[in-house]
Amino acid sequence: MVSSLNFKRNRMATGRSRIPSNSIPQVLCPDPIINLTQLAAVKAREAAEAYFTLRHFDCAIMQARAAKELYPEFPGMDNYMAAYQIHSAVSHKKNWYHVLGITNPAVADSEAIKKQYKRLALALHPDKNGSIAADGAFKYVKAAWDVLSDRAKREAYDKSLSPRSQGARGSNNRKPAQQQRSNACSRKRAGPDANSTGGDGSFYKKTVKIVRKSNPGQRATVVMLSVCRVA
């Protein structure tokens, strides 16, 4: 009698899953293929969290997307990806519009910004998001909202993002080098012979004519190549 009870207990034990119940999205179904995909989705979610702790945000997003594809009904994976994407945007020094998921700031009014902020705040709430990235992502979203929700702060921030000012700064940075190179060539070319050495021997220019003609009846191609070297 005792041996038969032990046999029943061992049989029941072998039929149970050794994986903790809190890591499985739902009760295992009889289909082993579906069980494997669900377990693979759990592993992908764990890998995403591990990548986030290493600050590999793009890899975390990739693993979270894989978990979503393996098990589309996996609860909360969209919120996990939202948290990773916010951290990725900040790490790549994106502006506050990108942090809120607004791709075109020119057409985004205050209502659109408010709507996007509420959506992300809900997705990053601890009751909706169990990722370790949710708390830090919410702080970034709150910082973006503090700037873009205030009219004066937003106008000043938009001016700092103006492409005209950025282009002007870039052109000013390039201008001295371009002027220096052009002035150097102009000084050297002022000599009596453009194809000879300058007064101090530091300038040399030579023009080479290349004629290419493949077939006898084909029109020849002429290329003029000038070489200028400044010591």
Side-chain angles (χ1 to χ4, degrees):
M1 184 68 179
V2 176
S3 61
S4 62
L5 290 176
N6 292 333
F7 175 76
K8 290 181 179 179
R9 290 175 182 173
N10 293 333
R11 186 176 181 181
M12 292 174 62
T14 54
R16 296 172 185 169
S17 174
R18 295 182 180 180
I19 301 174
S21 59
N22 57 357
S23 66
I24 302 175
Q26 64 181 21
V27 180
L28 293 177
C29 65
D31 191 348
I33 302 300
I34 297 179
N35 293 340
L36 289 176
T37 56
Q38 291 180 5
L39 295 177
V42 173
K43 292 298 183 181
R45 182 187 64 181
E46 295 174 354
E49 293 285 89
Y51 275 122
F52 172 78
T53 58
L54 297 175
R55 299 188 63 82
H56 297 326
F57 304 129
D58 294 337
C59 294
I61 295 171
M62 181 181 63
Q63 290 295 327
R65 187 177 292 112
K68 179 71 174 178
E69 293 176 355
L70 287 169
Y71 183 44
E73 292 79 15
F74 206 155
M77 289 314 303
D78 291 332
N79 297 339
Y80 274 60
M81 281 189 285
Y84 299 148
Q85 288 170 354
I86 291 171
H87 282 277
S88 178
V90 174
S91 67
H92 288 88
K93 297 182 180 180
K94 300 292 185 180
N95 56 49
W96 289 131
Y97 291 102
H98 285 279
V99 172
L100 292 181
I102 299 174
T103 57
N104 192 357
V107 298
D109 55 2
S110 58
E111 289 298 326
I113 295 174
K114 184 177 181 180
K115 182 178 179 180
Q116 192 69 6
Y117 166 72
K118 287 185 175 181
R119 185 188 70 82
L120 290 176
L122 181 63
L124 299 173
H125 194 272
D127 295 338
K128 300 288 185 179
N129 197 326
S131 174
I132 57 178
D135 185 39
F138 178 76
K139 292 179 180 179
Y140 290 131
V141 170
K142 184 65 170 57
W145 169 251
D146 291 340
V147 173
L148 301 181
S149 61
D150 186 271
R151 171 178 274 180
K153 291 181 180 179
R154 184 183 177 184
E155 290 179 356
Y157 185 71
D158 290 342
K159 290 181 180 178
S160 67
L161 298 177
S162 175
R164 180 180 301 176
S165 61
Q166 293 178 359
R169 289 195 295 268
S171 62
N172 290 334
N173 293 333
R174 293 191 300 267
K175 191 173 182 179
Q178 293 177 354
Q179 288 181 350
Q180 184 177 2
R181 289 193 298 267
S182 62
N183 292 336
C185 290
S186 61
R187 288 195 304 269
K188 300 302 180 180
R189 291 174 183 174
D193 188 1
N195 292 332
S196 62
T197 306
D200 55 354
S202 60
F203 173 73
Y204 176 80
K205 179 181 178 182
K206 185 175 182 181
T207 302
V208 180
K209 182 178 180 181
I210 302 175
V211 180
R212 181 178 180 182
K213 189 175 182 181
S214 301
N215 299 324
Q218 187 179 2
R219 187 175 179 180
T221 302
V222 180
V223 179
M224 302 295 293
L225 179 63
S226 297
V227 179
C228 176
R229 185 181 66 185
V230 179

